[in-house]
């Protein structure tokens, strides 16, 4: 029953995989909002160390993982790949279901795969302080964890609604020595402007990014770190997909369907990019599916346009599926899936038809997560429950057709800090939000006029 | 840096180790409170299936682990043994520190090592329902997890103060389909009696045991499960110590000092019993140290006497270190360490001088846990922080003496559901309670007159 495929530390990847080397068409350039022209590395230098900027644009297929990063990865990596035989039996499906279990890291998700790398490269560049934003707190705690290990000061702007709803994530950050404040805050011009308009603003990732970026741009000793969206983040996350490839080989299987939930896209990308290469280069037939909430349907209903990464319009312009940078998300419980944009790499692969996307309502996702927990034990984060739901649907489809497909999904994080969401679910108090069409029309008008 | 020693599933123990086969003196018998005579297996039959009763009194050295139990263990076992090199460096100690990391189980602690075994043997005996008590919720959630996998109904009486303070543990139990109610409750005579006297009773483990036992004794379809104290619980927990022995061998080290926190004693026993055998049989020199709170100093200040396991005086009498069955603990945050008694096996080894005990105040334990988390990442449960503190003291003693001792401790569970305790600690709002001498004198008068 339910078998773990365990790698040794010796089997851990020594290099990250960079999909940019294998794309059939290059990524659209990042655009400077002032000039309308592609930005150069120097434009990003106030925010990131040059090593990360170089990774952002690198066309090299493999980028070595420095040993100090590998050393920290070993605190929880390699992570198990699990054949979910108990769940297969419960679902009565001929499908084989595998999940990659990323919930064993100290912060409880895949996020430290990149936070540790970012902290290291910042340390190497002599950076003393890092600011960031966080939604549900997964990323903020992952960066706090990493900064502490490399002796860097860490300040986290946490979306206010999550700050109030999930005090324990903040305490986790403080346990690792970080400072966490609610956003919008009075500490930045961006935060002050939002508060002037709406003192009760629940905040959003877009606002929190504006605040963290503003502080980093203002202070010489401070850089900024982003937990998703950017190319170097996707790169670092491939460590989990590369492990999974080895583990699938050991299991003697190859996935027909690969699934990940997607907010900014990093856990989904981390798992699927090494397999996407097989699809692009070797013509492998794989369905690669990103899953998002109906309340924040970036990939399934958003526009593929240039947009700002933040609400205050301070970041460079990224070509991505977007609901508009002014997007204020409905209060669904998958806090990590409430971002208005999506990783340009993901959006590009979507446009090229290499990957697909689907949206689900949150109650159906919690249903699936409960079914999974009762079979396999682990309690999933609300974000992860979206991947669980898609895996369940694929398995039930196999039951109908009698096919024994191999389904692989990323169990990106545990739900230990999200039990209040489970409480609402048990009390039938969770609403299913559909993103309104008129909001999308409004958003369209706010987009910078680059693509036209 | 900080290296994990990982076993494969093939290396997992196939049998539990029973210390009773190697004790230099047999355990004192369990006494029937009515007759004052040793009880027989039939006296326990209303509460436990006969297979577990036989394990309770078995003198066999090795007891096979049935395959369905091994199968469930594989959801999270074998667990890692970690050389804490980062923490050694932070403490600047010549000592080598190893910790066994039991926080990766779905309920987050070592508890499912026995809950899974107990659920299996109950299922095999045709039991349909199990009742139990829980303090902080670690045990209740572990039994909920196990009962769900073996399709047994599970009802948990949770100590009211924890039920109110830690709602997320209850939600975890509900996620796995169990029912959890606060104790004292109106559902049992024992609960009603306590509430009649004090409607605001915060509850205690002793009271919750009375309620769970009463319900199991009353109903034919229902048995009772205990998460610690009893011999068969200690037996099941040896799976973790047996794994550790293999892992220490792979690491090429052998412990000079073995440390576990002790409430009822099960995680401490699980780790140390296989090593205690080396001490008894082969004369190995090991310091084996159980750690408890100053607020509940069962081993360090309790009386070694026959006492009831519960408040309502319904259980058989166990010879153990006790603070008296009427003990109401101070509200320290290590909810799992607030039991008035201690496992008879632990107490017997203490009397024989094979193991030792020490008590710590909770603020010092949180200090140590923070030091550990900032070096090794993982956030410890308040219970576990007691073992962390003792390991830190041993390592700092080595720093003084220059000795390079090998220190091994059990990292018995994570603190994800205890962050409110960390909050109080950060706010300097944690009180250090000393158990008052006059309470002990009062307790003495309530003990049954068996030893005299």
């Amino acid at each position: 029953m339910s078998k773990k495929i365990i790698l040794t530390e010796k089997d851990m990847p020594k290099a990250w995989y960079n999909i940019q080397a294998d794309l059939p068409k290059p990524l659209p350039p990042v655009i400077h909002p002032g000039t309308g022209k592609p930005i150069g590395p120097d434009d990003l230098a106030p925010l990131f160390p040059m090593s990360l900027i170089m990774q952002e644009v690198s066309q090299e297929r493999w980028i070595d993982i420095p040993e100090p990063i590998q050393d920290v990865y070993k605190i929880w990596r390699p992570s198990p790949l699990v054949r979910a035989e108990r769940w297969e039996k419960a679902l009565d499906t001929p499908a084989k279901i595998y999940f990659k279990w990323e919930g064993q890291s100290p912060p409880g998700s895949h996020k430290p795969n990149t936070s540790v790398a970012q902290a290291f490269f910042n340390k190497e560049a002599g950076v003393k302080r890092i600011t960031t934003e966080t939604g549900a707190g997964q990323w903020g705690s992952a960066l706090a964890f990493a900064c502490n290990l490399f002796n860097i000061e860490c300040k986290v702007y946490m979306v206010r609604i999550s700050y109030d709803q999930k005090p324990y994530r903040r305490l986790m950050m403080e346990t690792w020595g970080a400072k966490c404040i609610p956003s919008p805050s009075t500490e930045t011009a961006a935060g002050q402007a939002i508060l002037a308009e709406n003192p009760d603003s629940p905040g959003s990732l877009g606002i929190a990014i504006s605040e963290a970026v503003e502080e980093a741009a203002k202070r010489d000793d401070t850089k900024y770190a982003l937990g998703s969206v950017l190319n170097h983040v996707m790169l670092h996350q491939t460590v989990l997909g590369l492990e999974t490839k080895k583990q699938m080989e050991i299991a003697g299987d190859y996935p027909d369907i690969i699934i990940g939930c997607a907010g900014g896209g990093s856990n989904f990308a981390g798992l699927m990019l090494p397999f996407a290469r097989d699809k692009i280069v070797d013509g492998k037939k794989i369905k690669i599916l990103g899953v998002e909430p109906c309340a924040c349907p970036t990939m399934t209903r958003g526009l593929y346009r240039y947009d700002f990464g933040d609400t205050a319009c301070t970041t460079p312009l990224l070509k991505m599926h977007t609901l508009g940078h002014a997007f204020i998300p409905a209060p669904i419980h998958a806090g990590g899936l409430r971002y208005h944009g999506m990783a340009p790499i993901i959006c590009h692969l979507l446009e090229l038809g290499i990957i697909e996307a689907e949206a689900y309502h949150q109650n159906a996702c919690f249903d699936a997560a409960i079914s999974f927990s009762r079979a396999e034990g682990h309690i999933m984060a609300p974000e992860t429950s979206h991947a669980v739901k898609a895996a369940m649907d694929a398995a039930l489809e196999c039951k109908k057709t009698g096919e024994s497909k191999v389904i692989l999904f990323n169990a990106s994080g545990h739900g230990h800090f999200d039990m209040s969401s489970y409480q609402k679910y048990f009390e039938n108090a969770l609403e299913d939000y559909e993103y309104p069409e008129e909001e999308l029309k409004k958003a369209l008008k706010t987009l910078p006029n680059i693509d036209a």
Side-chain angles (χ1 to χ4, degrees), chain A:
Chain A
M1 291 295 283
S2 300
K3 225 181 148 59
K4 294 195 301 300
I5 298 115
I6 305 264
L7 298 177
T8 67
E9 291 180 356
K10 267 180 287 181
D11 295 320
M12 283 173 61
K14 303 288 179 289
W16 294 298
Y17 168 62
N18 181 11
I19 187 86
Q20 293 194 62
D22 291 313
L23 288 175
K25 236 177 84 176
L27 285 172
V30 176
I31 298 290
H32 192 292
T35 65
K37 301 250 159 67
I39 60 163
D42 287 346
D43 292 318
L44 293 172
L47 296 185
F48 304 105
M50 200 44 73
S51 47
L52 288 175
I53 296 171
M54 288 297 122
Q55 287 175 19
E56 190 65 20
V57 295
S58 170
Q59 301 296 311
E60 294 294 318
R61 183 167 293 115
W62 298 101
I63 294 178
D64 285 345
I65 308 176
E67 257 185 55
I69 296 175
Q70 291 189 44
D71 264 354
V72 177
Y73 278 172
K74 284 176 190 165
I75 290 179
W76 76 97
R77 307 208 70 82
S79 73
L81 178 73
V82 187
R83 169 83 186 274
E85 285 184 324
R86 278 187 185 77
W87 198 34
E88 291 168 16
K89 209 176 144 189
L91 298 176
D92 189 24
T93 175
K96 292 183 184 180
I97 308 175
Y98 290 89
F99 65 92
K100 179 70 166 169
W101 181 219
E102 289 289 304
Q104 291 185 175
S105 72
S109 78
H110 67 292
K111 290 284 184 191
N113 295 332
T114 183
S115 72
V116 169
Q118 292 190 51
F120 169 79
F121 289 114
N122 272 286
K123 182 73 182 179
E124 210 188 31
V127 175
K128 302 270 181 277
R129 288 179 83 244
I130 299 182
T131 60
T132 197
E133 72 292 328
T134 198
Q138 292 274 22
W139 167 245
S141 52
L143 190 68
F145 162 75
C147 283
N148 164 65
L149 288 174
F150 289 105
N151 201 19
I152 299 173
E153 210 181 298
C154 177
K155 180 166 170 190
V156 181
Y157 289 89
M158 186 168 185
V159 175
R160 176 174 280 284
I161 187 171
S162 293
Y163 185 92
D164 293 340
Q165 277 176 2
K166 301 187 176 181
Y168 297 157
R169 276 278 168 201
R170 167 174 65 78
L171 287 160
M172 199 175 200
M173 297 178 221
E174 288 173 5
T175 298
W176 288 315
K179 190 174 171 192
C180 173
I181 65 166
S183 163
S185 79
T186 54
E187 301 198 11
T188 66
Q192 287 160 12
I194 298 282
L195 288 173
E197 215 173 287
N198 177 12
D200 297 326
S201 166
S204 73
L205 271 174
I207 296 167
I209 293 175
S210 292
E211 294 205 88
V213 164
E214 181 184 324
E215 183 176 337
K218 241 178 359 206
R219 285 183 60 156
D220 275 350
D221 63 346
T222 302
K223 298 281 183 199
Y224 166 72
L226 189 62
S228 193
V229 179
L230 298 180
N231 302 341
H232 67 269
V233 178
M234 308 296 127
L235 174 80
H236 301 152
Q237 290 293 353
T238 59
V239 66
L240 79 87
L242 293 167
E243 281 181 14
T244 306
K245 274 193 97 167
K246 279 198 199 175
Q247 289 165 313
M248 291 296 302
E249 262 172 54
I250 293 169
D253 270 323
Y254 191 88
D256 297 302
I257 309 172
I258 299 177
I259 297 164
C261 65
S266 77
N267 93 74
F268 174 46
L271 178 65
M272 65 86 172
L273 288 178
F275 293 95
R277 180 180 189 221
D278 295 355
K279 192 165 176 174
I280 296 168
V281 177
D282 303 325
K284 281 267 188 193
K285 282 200 175 153
I286 326 169
K287 175 174 173 162
I288 304 176
L289 182 66
V291 192
E292 62 187 8
C294 294
C296 184
T298 319
M299 294 181 290
T300 49
R301 294 177 55 207
L303 302 154
Y304 188 48
R305 288 278 301 270
Y306 273 100
D307 197 5
F308 293 97
D310 73 325
T311 304
C313 304
T314 53
T315 71
L317 298 172
L318 301 170
K319 178 106 183 218
M320 59 183 177
H321 290 82
T322 178
L323 302 171
H325 53 265
F327 177 71
I328 296 283
I332 58 162
H333 283 266
L337 306 186
R338 293 189 295 200
Y339 184 60
H340 70 275
M342 181 57 62
I345 284 180
I346 304 254
C347 298
H348 190 61
L349 291 172
L350 203 56
E351 284 300 302
L352 294 174
I354 295 164
I355 67 171
E356 302 166 38
E358 201 150 341
Y360 283 107
H361 279 299
Q362 63 180 348
N363 276 298
C365 295
F366 276 102
D367 288 347
I370 293 287
S371 162
F372 177 81
S373 293
R374 292 196 176 166
E376 299 295 328
H378 305 292
I379 296 176
M380 295 290 112
E383 290 83 357
T384 311
S385 75
H386 289 70
V388 176
K389 167 65 176 160
M392 188 163 112
D393 276 6
L396 293 177
E397 182 62 29
C398 283
K399 187 180 170 181
K400 268 193 213 152
T401 63
E403 286 172 295
S404 175
K405 287 192 176 164
V406 175
I407 301 165
L408 165 65
F409 75 95
N410 197 7
S412 54
H414 65 60
H416 298 171
F417 292 87
D418 306 287
M419 296 313 290
S420 59
S421 312
Y422 278 87
Q423 182 165 21
K424 293 238 170 72
Y425 165 77
F426 285 132
E427 292 165 352
N428 284 318
L430 281 190
E431 219 177 304
D432 281 337
Y433 300 93
E434 194 79 43
Y435 179 68
E437 194 60 33
E438 57 274 22
E439 281 298 315
L440 195 62
K441 281 186 198 144
K442 268 196 268 173
L444 186 60
K445 291 182 196 150
T446 70
L447 295 183
N449 200 18
I450 298 284
D451 311 70

